Amino acid sequence: MSLSVHTRKSTKKNFPLESLLMPQVPRSNYLHFQEEKLRLQLKKFLLNRMFLVAKISANIEKKDIAEYYEELFQSILRHHLGEAVTGLLFIYPTSILHILESSSSTLYQILLDYLNHEKDEMEFFIQGMKIIVTSHNIPTRLFMQWHVSVIKVPVMYLDDVTQSQSLEEVITEFLIQTHKLALYLFKTVKVGTKGPGDNLHQVAPELLLPEQIIKYLCNSAEFMDPKTFINMYNKPIHVTLDSEVVWPATFRF
């Protein structure tokens, strides 16, 4: 009898140990989901991604364009709270493609600086800028730093797809190619390196957009210029109440 009792006691003692040895499957619930959602909403700065295209003066040195943006980024971070700028600047012979990732306040200051240069009497070397697309509250960056690459591929007028495609087809190709290129650089470029350099047309020529597409988007009236974007950004939101449109009511509800 005593032996059987001892056996039962041993079994009870070993049971918790056996349960600890069982594989634990991580589980989530709706409370964890809401807490994570709240944590993301309370981030100090939300990330945004903006695609810009513009024309450049024919006699401008390519290094001057890169130095202008580098000095601009540093000045903005010194005087305004926001996220550091990452992205990619492609400098074609007569145009640029610029992908920027940062907080909305930093992107606002970049566009505002461009508008201030437009007001100067001296002609600015960046002209006809258009905002192709802006993505708000992106989950993560595609670029770990800001890269500059000079595209030296000659213009091929015989392959100008903008003559045979609609604007919808051109912009679709633009977005697909730029995202493919961004993913390629994300996988191949290491943090701290100088980036793709000026030989990207030799490393991944199939991912580069022809300059005709960049110039075509610059000339398209369907895309917003920085002045229009800034005016919409600063425009207050007015809410019209029902009492303001109901007639012939003589008092406010």
Side-chain angles (χ1 to χ4, degrees):
M1 179 67 69
S2 60
L3 179 60
S4 61
V5 172
H6 178 72
T7 303
R8 285 197 296 271
K9 289 182 179 180
S10 300
T11 304
K12 291 181 180 180
K13 290 181 180 179
N14 293 334
F15 179 76
L17 180 61
E18 293 176 357
S19 64
L20 292 175
L21 294 178
M22 294 178 63
Q24 301 295 317
V25 179
R27 297 182 181 277
S28 182
N29 53 40
Y30 187 71
L31 175 61
H32 293 160
F33 172 79
Q34 290 294 335
E35 290 176 344
E36 178 66 14
K37 182 178 179 181
L38 182 62
R39 185 186 67 82
L40 294 175
Q41 291 176 346
L42 294 178
K43 288 190 301 184
K44 191 172 183 180
F45 299 106
L46 298 178
L47 286 175
N48 299 279
R49 182 180 298 120
M50 181 177 288
F51 291 74
L52 302 172
V53 295
K55 301 175 184 178
I56 57 175
S57 302
N59 56 349
I60 186 67
E61 293 288 339
K62 305 304 182 284
K63 65 177 182 178
D64 293 341
I65 301 176
E67 291 176 356
Y68 157 72
Y69 277 112
E70 289 174 356
E71 294 176 359
L72 175 61
F73 297 160
Q74 294 175 6
S75 175
I76 291 174
L77 289 178
R78 284 195 303 265
H79 298 91
H80 303 275
L81 293 176
E83 292 285 339
V85 177
T86 60
L88 181 67
L89 173 63
F90 276 171
I91 304 177
Y92 289 84
T94 60
S95 61
I96 60 173
L97 164 63
H98 207 176
I99 306 174
L100 297 167
E101 296 175 334
S102 186
S103 53
S104 59
S105 59
T106 302
L107 297 178
Y108 174 86
Q109 293 298 327
I110 293 173
L111 297 178
L112 195 61
D113 183 82
Y114 168 79
L115 291 182
N116 292 333
H117 280 290
E118 272 196 333
K119 298 176 183 178
D120 295 340
E121 295 181 0
M122 185 178 297
E123 186 177 3
F124 192 42
F125 54 82
I126 300 176
Q127 307 162 1
M129 181 178 290
K130 291 294 181 64
I131 302 171
I132 305 305
V133 64
T134 302
S135 301
H136 301 282
N137 194 15
I138 58 177
T140 185
R141 296 177 186 262
L142 284 176
F143 304 92
M144 296 299 104
Q145 58 194 58
W146 188 69
H147 304 289
V148 181
S149 183
V150 178
I151 309 300
K152 300 178 180 179
V153 180
V155 178
M156 300 296 293
Y157 292 99
L158 295 178
D159 297 329
D160 190 356
V161 297
T162 61
Q163 301 296 326
S164 58
Q165 294 182 346
S166 63
L167 176 61
E168 183 179 354
E169 292 173 328
V170 173
I171 192 60
T172 300
E173 181 181 354
F174 170 84
L175 294 175
I176 292 176
Q177 288 297 100
T178 50
H179 279 82
K180 284 183 178 180
L181 178 62
L183 291 175
Y184 169 81
L185 296 176
F186 178 79
K187 296 177 181 178
T188 57
V189 177
K190 297 181 180 179
V191 179
T193 60
K194 293 184 179 180
D198 297 342
N199 63 339
L200 190 59
H201 61 281
Q202 299 175 352
V203 179
E206 71 282 357
L207 298 178
L208 286 179
L209 283 167
E211 189 180 18
Q212 294 95 328
I213 292 182
I214 307 301
K215 296 169 67 175
Y216 176 78
L217 297 177
C218 290
N219 296 325
S220 298
E222 287 79 2
F223 298 105
M224 195 177 298
D225 59 88
K227 183 178 181 180
T228 306
F229 181 88
I230 293 296
N231 290 337
M232 291 183 62
Y233 188 90
N234 294 329
K235 186 178 181 181
I237 300 177
H238 298 284
V239 178
T240 303
L241 302 177
D242 290 341
S243 60
E244 297 175 342
V245 296
V246 175
W247 185 87
T250 58
F251 59 90
R252 302 181 69 88
F253 294 99

